[in-house]
Amino acid sequence: MNWTLFSAFVGATMLLIVIPGPNVMLVISRSMRFGVKAGLITVAGTAFALAQQLTITALGLASAMAVLSDGFELIRWIGVAYLIFLGIQAWREPPVPPAANGAVTPPNTKRIFLQAVFVAWTNPKLLAFYAAFFPQFIDPALPAGPQLWAMCGAFLVIAIVFDSCYAVVGGRLLAAIKSNRAQRIRNRITGGILIAAGLGLALVRRN
């Protein structure tokens, strides 16, 4: 392992992941709306999908899947519509009585998890990004396989840690929001975040 290149990869990955994308926005909105537990379940769902995507990348299938780009484009637009739907749903969520501690009853664990997996998979261009990003940090003098698997593992761990931090922060914000006005503002923010994520995904252009 070329530790200089690997360290550079870790640093670049941290910078990339700290910038909120659709997955992070979903985590924040879920934790702000339903609490830390729901946020962490969402992290588990996005991490599950990410692990699958990284495995595909490591096995060298990203280029083969690019042949199906038209099908992936349809999937992307389904993801756009779904994120916007979740955003509108959050935006219209009515305030709950103070006795309920400002929390909305969350969907069941399985539903939150599957929603996260679905959203994570509706940005299939990430496969092409991984395929272009990872090779920049591979030392050609060393076997590529072990390097690639090590980078995939590091990427997954970093994503889980950062996303979990977002979930905890979002959940702490939920605990401080109790008044009807504050809840409406929270719902507008979480709904706006999801709608922005959907619109951001819609703006991605095919190369």
Side-chain angles (χ1 to χ4, degrees):
M1 176 68 69
N2 185 322
W3 293 107
T4 300
L5 283 175
F6 186 74
S7 298
F9 169 81
V10 169
T13 297
M14 292 174 70
L15 287 174
L16 286 170
I17 292 177
V18 80
I19 301 171
N23 291 356
V24 170
M25 290 181 175
L26 183 66
V27 169
I28 293 173
S29 69
R30 280 293 180 254
S31 59
M32 283 187 66
R33 191 176 174 202
F34 300 126
V36 174
K37 180 181 177 180
L40 293 176
I41 293 170
T42 303
V43 172
T46 58
F48 179 73
L50 177 59
Q52 294 174 321
Q53 293 166 339
L54 291 172
T55 298
I56 290 172
T57 300
L59 293 174
L61 296 179
S63 58
M65 296 185 79
V67 175
L68 304 176
S69 59
D70 290 340
F72 281 163
E73 193 70 5
L74 175 61
I75 292 174
R76 184 171 66 82
W77 282 109
I78 292 174
V80 168
Y82 188 62
L83 282 170
I84 292 175
F85 166 76
L86 291 177
I88 293 173
Q89 189 178 54
W91 184 284
R92 298 177 61 187
E93 186 76 41
V96 295
N101 200 32
V104 179
T105 302
N108 62 57
T109 298
K110 181 179 179 180
R111 182 178 176 187
I112 294 175
F113 180 86
L114 292 177
Q115 283 178 336
V117 173
F118 180 80
V119 169
W121 263 111
T122 52
N123 191 2
K125 278 189 171 293
L126 285 177
L127 290 170
F129 169 76
Y130 297 146
F133 178 67
F134 284 26
Q136 309 305 318
F137 302 92
I138 290 179
D139 186 341
L142 299 172
Q147 296 180 78
L148 190 55
W149 283 110
M151 286 190 288
C152 287
F155 194 100
L156 181 61
V157 169
I158 293 170
I160 291 173
V161 170
F162 275 62
D163 288 356
S164 296
C165 289
Y166 278 121
V168 171
V169 171
R172 293 293 177 264
L173 289 174
L174 170 68
I177 297 173
K178 300 184 187 231
S179 72
N180 285 354
R181 182 173 182 274
Q183 289 182 58
R184 287 192 184 94
I185 293 173
R186 177 203 63 194
N187 292 345
R188 301 297 188 271
I189 291 173
T190 56
I193 287 173
L194 286 170
I195 292 170
L199 294 176
L201 194 57
L203 292 175
V204 175
R205 292 287 183 262
R206 293 176 57 186
N207 294 327

